[in-house]
């Protein structure tokens, strides 16, 4: 059964594609009521191309943004790899009032500190090996000290 593919445009300016008959919502803002159909295609490949063309200006700005972020990341690189003292501090910060540490809380703290290396899993693994924390449940660690 052949179906039509729609090139849609949201009021936010985002163009996106959807199969005819589905309830489309904007791929950028999630809006689903103020969508207009700007073109109809019979095959999804043509649609994909049309979507890419329609979003070209914002895609280019996205690319520039990515480049800038990459530059920023590189600049921060030396700071990204945390030393033992920083890790210790982050571990403490990630611990709640019950003395429980989770990967999730650790990830949040690493994010706040801008630390990308080592990962939350690696830090927990190291702390476990060093006997600083022990596993207290599914995704839960407790301090031994
Ligand atoms: Zn939108």
């Amino acid at each position: 059964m052949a179906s039509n593919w729609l090139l849609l445009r949201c009021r936010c300016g985002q163009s996106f594609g959807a199969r005819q008959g589905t309830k489309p919502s904007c791929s950028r803002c999630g809006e689903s009521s103020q969508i207009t159909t700007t073109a109809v295609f019979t095959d999804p490949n043509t649609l994909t191309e049309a979507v890419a063309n329609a979003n070209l200006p914002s895609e280019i700005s996205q690319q520039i943004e990515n480049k800038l972020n990459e530059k920023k990341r590189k600049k921060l690189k030396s700071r990204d790899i945390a030393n033992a003292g920083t890790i210790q501090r982050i571990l403490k910060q990630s611990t709640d009032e019950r003395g429980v540490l989770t990967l999730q809380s650790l990830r949040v703290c690493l994010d706040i500190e801008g630390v990308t290396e080592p990962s939350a899993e690696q830090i927990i693994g190291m702390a476990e090996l060093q006997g600083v924390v022990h596993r207290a449940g599914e995704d839960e660690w407790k301090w031994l000290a």
Side-chain angles (χ1 to χ4, degrees):
M1 188 185 92
S3 58
N4 284 329
W5 297 84
L6 309 176
L7 176 62
L8 304 161
R9 191 173 189 81
C10 173
R11 61 170 178 167
C12 78
Q14 174 80 354
S15 289
F16 59 100
R19 186 199 286 265
Q20 192 169 40
T22 59
K23 187 165 169 44
S25 62
C26 175
S27 56
R28 181 156 74 189
C29 71
E31 172 70 49
S32 58
S33 55
Q34 301 198 43
I35 306 288
T36 49
T37 305
T38 46
V40 179
F41 302 97
T42 48
D43 82 277
N45 292 331
T46 320
L47 172 68
T48 307
E49 229 170 85
V51 170
N53 285 335
N55 285 323
L56 207 51
S58 65
E59 259 186 30
I60 287 170
S61 66
Q62 184 63 45
Q63 275 176 12
I64 292 167
E65 204 174 303
N66 288 345
K67 277 242 163 66
L68 284 175
N69 283 338
E70 204 177 305
K71 235 183 188 165
K72 222 160 84 186
R73 264 204 304 278
K74 275 197 181 130
K75 220 172 149 188
L76 289 170
K77 196 74 191 170
S78 55
R79 231 176 48 114
D80 284 350
I81 298 170
N83 61 32
T86 309
I87 289 171
Q88 185 83 2
R89 188 161 49 83
I90 290 171
L91 274 171
K92 293 267 188 206
Q93 276 169 2
S94 329
T95 307
D96 68 12
E97 62 281 356
R98 296 174 301 142
V100 171
L101 181 72
T102 65
L103 273 176
Q104 183 55 36
S105 64
L106 188 54
R107 279 198 197 102
V108 170
C109 285
L110 286 172
D111 212 39
I112 291 166
E113 295 278 331
V115 173
T116 54
E117 293 271 335
S119 69
E121 286 85 353
Q122 285 172 321
I123 290 174
I124 290 272
M126 279 192 282
E128 242 181 332
L129 274 177
Q130 290 165 1
V132 179
V133 297
H134 72 105
R135 191 184 274 273
E138 177 94 9
D139 188 32
E140 270 195 13
W141 285 264
K142 275 193 169 148
W143 286 80
L144 288 176

